[in-house]
Amino acid sequence: MKRVIERHPHQLSELPYPYHALEPHYEERTLRLHHGAHHKAYVDGLNRAEAALEKARSQGDFALVKHWCRELAFHGSGHLLHNLFWESMSPQGGGEPSGPVAQLIEASFGGFGQFQQQFSATAVAVEASGWAVLAYHPELKRLEILTAEKHQDLTQWGTRPLLTIDVWEHAYYLQYQNRRADFVKAWWNLVNWGNVNKRLG
Ligand code: MN3
């Protein structure tokens, strides 16, 4: 029997400060439009994609799964990165960090000045639409400065990977040639759910 989970639509969260609070560095007019119109569009798009995928599952019709997967990644990452962006700023912000992040910056980049230079250069170098992101990698136990073109290509930032299948042609071509679907079907016999639970833990 197919089970339909109850979906809770995502909401545009309120900013942690008034619209004028970041002036003069970030003006109210820009922030209102950015949050109220642009961020809102990602929230709506994410809800639309989740609803469409729910419908696809209930009908067993995945003809448009590639489209909705892209929409899920684009709008989901847009929503999550904007949440992070708003939280990344404060009317009382600026200066140099202290505490654990300061130590990690020292260890990962050789000092705050070098980190700041690399982060700025990275942000300036992003082609067209995108983000610069300071991220902690729990497996490598270090900070990295990364970029996201558009928002996603084609992930949702902040997710924790639990299970993966390599669908580059090198992963299956010798055995399955162009029959990727056969490889995917066979792969389900190999899944290590114990490891998934461990990563989830
Ligand atoms: Mn934006």
Side-chain angles (χ1 to χ4, degrees):
M1 183 179 128
K2 283 176 181 158
R3 196 171 67 89
V4 177
I5 56 164
E6 192 185 340
R7 226 167 42 79
H8 299 286
H10 303 278
Q11 311 272 357
L12 180 67
S13 49
E14 282 193 19
L15 292 180
Y17 35 73
Y19 282 114
H20 65 269
L22 302 180
E23 291 193 340
H25 308 293
Y26 205 50
E27 63 170 9
E28 175 171 356
R29 190 175 58 149
T30 305
L31 185 52
R32 274 189 188 279
L33 186 69
H34 195 175
H35 177 256
H38 290 275
H39 186 173
K40 173 75 162 50
Y42 297 121
V43 174
D44 294 344
L46 177 59
N47 286 327
R48 205 162 48 239
E50 288 189 353
L53 286 164
E54 185 181 305
K55 192 172 161 199
R57 285 192 298 274
S58 69
Q59 298 181 347
D61 177 2
F62 293 99
L64 293 176
V65 72
K66 188 168 162 183
H67 168 74
W68 289 117
C69 195
R70 284 175 186 273
E71 289 287 290
L72 186 73
F74 179 72
H75 292 289
S77 290
H79 174 42
L80 293 162
L81 280 171
H82 279 95
N83 279 347
L84 177 60
F85 180 53
W86 311 135
E87 287 173 16
S88 295
M89 299 182 288
S90 161
Q92 290 84 41
E96 290 194 26
S98 57
V101 73
Q103 291 167 13
L104 273 168
I105 283 174
E106 185 73 34
S108 303
F109 304 106
F112 181 76
Q114 295 185 89
F115 153 74
Q116 198 174 34
Q117 278 187 343
Q118 185 182 332
F119 190 91
S120 295
T122 303
V124 170
V126 171
E127 291 175 6
S129 311
W131 305 73
V133 179
L134 173 65
Y136 177 67
H137 199 304
E139 199 163 321
L140 304 180
K141 296 188 171 44
R142 58 167 288 134
L143 298 173
E144 300 286 7
I145 296 167
L146 299 168
T147 60
E149 287 190 356
K150 297 197 287 178
H151 307 302
Q152 77 286 17
D153 272 3
L154 291 156
T155 188
Q156 282 183 346
W157 281 82
T159 55
R160 181 189 301 178
L162 298 176
L163 180 70
T164 188
I165 180 169
D166 186 346
V167 289
W168 281 65
E169 288 185 342
H170 64 231
Y172 61 86
Y173 210 82
L174 270 181
Q175 183 177 354
Y176 292 93
Q177 290 84 47
N178 60 337
R179 304 186 311 279
R180 186 192 290 181
D182 288 352
F183 166 59
V184 173
K185 190 176 173 192
W187 177 81
W188 285 109
N189 296 304
L190 305 173
V191 169
N192 181 351
W193 290 113
N195 191 61
V196 172
N197 266 323
K198 200 173 102 193
R199 282 182 166 264
L200 193 59

